[in-house]
Amino acid sequence: MRDASHHHRFIGSLCSCGAHAPAQPTVEEAVSESVQQALLHGLFPQPVLRRELLRTVGAGVIIGALSSILPIDTLKAIAQERRPLEKTKLAVGFLPITCAVPLIYGESLGSYRKEGLDVSLQKIAGIALIRDKMLNGELDVSQQVMPVPLTMTAGLGGNVQSIKVLTILNQNGNSLVLANKHKDNRDPKNWKGFTFAVPFEQSHQTLQLRNYLATAGLDPDQDVKYRIVPPTEYVASLRVGSIDGFFGGEPGGQRAVYEGAGFIHLISKDIWDGHPCCSVTAAESWIQQNPNTFMAFYRAIIASSLHVSKPENRVGMAKVLSEPQYLNAPEIVLEQVLSGRMPTALAPSGKIRGGLIISRFRNIRQQFG
């Protein structure tokens, strides 16, 4: 057994104890690393933000993600010279669900102002409408549920337009909610004839619900009906009985429980743990025309995402989000969603039982990974 206090003394590639020296980077690898470091210093000049990015994902992953959006030569030009922004006034669309918190809270944090941007946040009720506003050029940047940016690029349901995903806003954070009249009917095998509300045909919520039903033995095409409903109307639709349940983002599920309109049957994490939910998107043509503005907004949304991803920073956040111009929901409901501690379902006795829903904002490693 070697002495644990032994210090390696290498001669060539071998130590006197017989161990191999650690691999040394080649010249090409060293140059590549130097270029990446220089790029990061230029693209993310704020030391705190840059260090946090490097600590979580590393230079290569960040540059790889950015170079998939802008050519590396353009990134180098931006890094070498802080050119004026092509646009300073931006219209940014968001959906009134907690997935939008990084976008919304960027305003309160001053993240946009720090980058020289005057961002007008526009609350938009549903996915189809926010998609159409992007396609029509009414929005510079927008939130969008996955995988809708991919279907927009493919031209499903509209004109073909290349849409780039700048970052993923959150993972998990959705729930399958049923009306209280079904509290004793928790087996999906018995749901033939049910009508479910979903936010959009090509949304991950619809895909996950269809998968869940098929796994239970139902025909998702024939045995149930789907109704496209904006997230703000889930609970009202449940209360009046026009739907049997819905699969959607928070605070819909918790609000249904809070208002006594329904119960949470399961959360999306139970079907696909770590699934991407909402994203920040922009048209490829807009990015190419406004590369410096894109990079400024990119820095702002990353800074906001890093801030809200830390639970200790969510104190007082619910009060801001509850305002009418944002989520327009009871503060207590949002507090429960943000903390992850809230009633999730009806126990067989009919009493609300405590549970845990993680509606967490995707950390930066997972955003780029």
Side-chain angles (χ1 to χ4, degrees):
M1 180 179 294
R2 292 193 181 96
D3 184 355
S5 64
H6 169 73
H7 294 282
H8 293 282
R9 293 187 344 184
F10 290 100
I11 301 173
S13 63
L14 289 176
C15 174
S16 57
C17 71
H20 286 275
Q24 297 297 314
T26 65
V27 173
E28 291 80 6
E29 289 171 340
V31 170
S32 176
E33 184 176 349
S34 296
V35 170
Q36 289 178 353
Q37 293 295 337
L39 272 174
L40 284 175
H41 275 73
L43 296 173
F44 298 93
Q46 194 174 21
V48 174
L49 177 59
R50 185 175 65 250
R51 283 196 296 268
E52 195 159 1
L53 280 168
L54 288 171
R55 184 171 61 251
T56 52
V57 298
V61 177
I62 301 169
I63 297 301
L66 286 170
S67 62
S68 69
I69 299 175
L70 278 177
I72 196 71
D73 289 341
T74 302
L75 292 173
K76 288 179 180 179
I78 295 172
Q80 291 168 0
E81 182 182 355
R82 296 300 296 271
R83 298 176 182 176
L85 303 181
E86 299 85 2
K87 291 187 72 173
T88 56
K89 295 182 180 295
L90 300 184
V92 176
F94 72 93
L95 298 163
I97 51 180
T98 51
C99 308
V101 170
L103 276 174
I104 295 171
Y105 219 65
E107 188 170 63
S108 298
L109 291 171
S111 300
Y112 305 128
R113 291 194 305 273
K114 291 176 185 176
E115 296 294 339
L117 298 171
D118 180 7
V119 168
S120 171
L121 289 176
Q122 299 184 19
K123 182 167 71 172
I124 299 171
I127 294 174
L129 184 56
I130 202 170
R131 180 202 61 175
D132 292 345
K133 284 181 176 290
M134 277 290 288
L135 291 173
N136 295 335
E138 298 175 49
L139 297 172
D140 296 291
V141 178
S142 80
Q143 175 185 0
Q144 192 52 273
V145 172
M146 293 297 287
V148 177
L150 305 180
T151 64
M152 293 170 69
T153 301
L156 297 179
N159 297 328
V160 175
Q161 185 173 151
S162 178
I163 302 296
K164 292 292 187 179
V165 173
L166 311 189
T167 184
I168 298 297
L169 282 171
N170 71 301
Q171 65 180 138
N172 301 327
N174 292 257
S175 50
L176 174 54
V177 178
L178 296 178
N180 284 333
K181 65 183 179 180
H182 298 303
K183 68 179 182 179
D184 296 322
N185 185 12
R186 303 289 297 278
D187 189 342
K189 294 178 181 178
N190 302 323
W191 294 355
K192 190 172 183 178
F194 275 27
T195 298
F196 289 99
V198 291
F200 198 62
E201 293 95 335
Q202 290 100 30
S203 66
H204 74 84
Q205 290 95 339
T206 305
L207 297 176
Q208 288 194 61
L209 176 58
R210 290 172 62 87
N211 176 72
Y212 182 68
L213 296 173
T215 301
L218 295 183
D219 183 338
D221 291 319
Q222 302 295 327
D223 292 341
V224 300
K225 296 179 181 178
Y226 307 95
R227 183 169 297 169
I228 307 304
V229 175
T232 53
E233 298 177 17
Y234 289 154
V235 178
S237 299
L238 201 65
R239 186 183 297 110
V240 299
S242 60
I243 59 173
D244 293 281
F246 66 83
F247 199 131
E250 293 297 337
Q254 178 55 19
R255 191 159 191 173
V257 173
Y258 177 78
E259 297 184 11
F263 64 95
I264 297 175
H265 172 72
L266 56 72
I267 55 177
S268 57
K269 179 181 178 182
D270 296 333
I271 299 175
W272 178 9
D273 189 10
H275 70 82
C277 181
C278 286
S279 60
V280 182
T281 66
E284 183 178 12
S285 58
W286 182 89
I287 295 172
Q288 292 175 346
Q289 293 165 12
N290 306 281
N292 296 289
T293 299
F294 154 74
M295 200 61 219
F297 185 86
Y298 192 85
R299 285 191 293 266
I301 191 60
I302 292 299
S304 178
S305 296
L306 285 168
H307 179 88
V308 303
S309 67
K310 299 175 182 177
E312 63 269 24
N313 290 337
R314 298 183 194 172
V315 177
M317 197 178 289
K319 184 175 181 60
V320 175
L321 298 173
S322 67
E323 295 295 323
Q325 70 270 29
Y326 296 136
L327 303 188
N328 193 30
E331 186 177 338
I332 181 61
V333 168
L334 296 174
E335 187 67 48
Q336 290 172 323
V337 172
L338 292 171
S339 67
R341 300 192 176 278
M342 60 196 210
T344 61
L346 289 173
S349 64
K351 296 180 180 178
I352 297 294
R353 59 179 173 84
L356 178 67
I357 283 188
I358 301 298
S359 181
R360 60 190 173 96
F361 306 102
R362 206 172 193 190
N363 66 42
I364 209 72
R365 179 182 299 279
Q366 292 164 320
Q367 282 182 352
F368 287 111

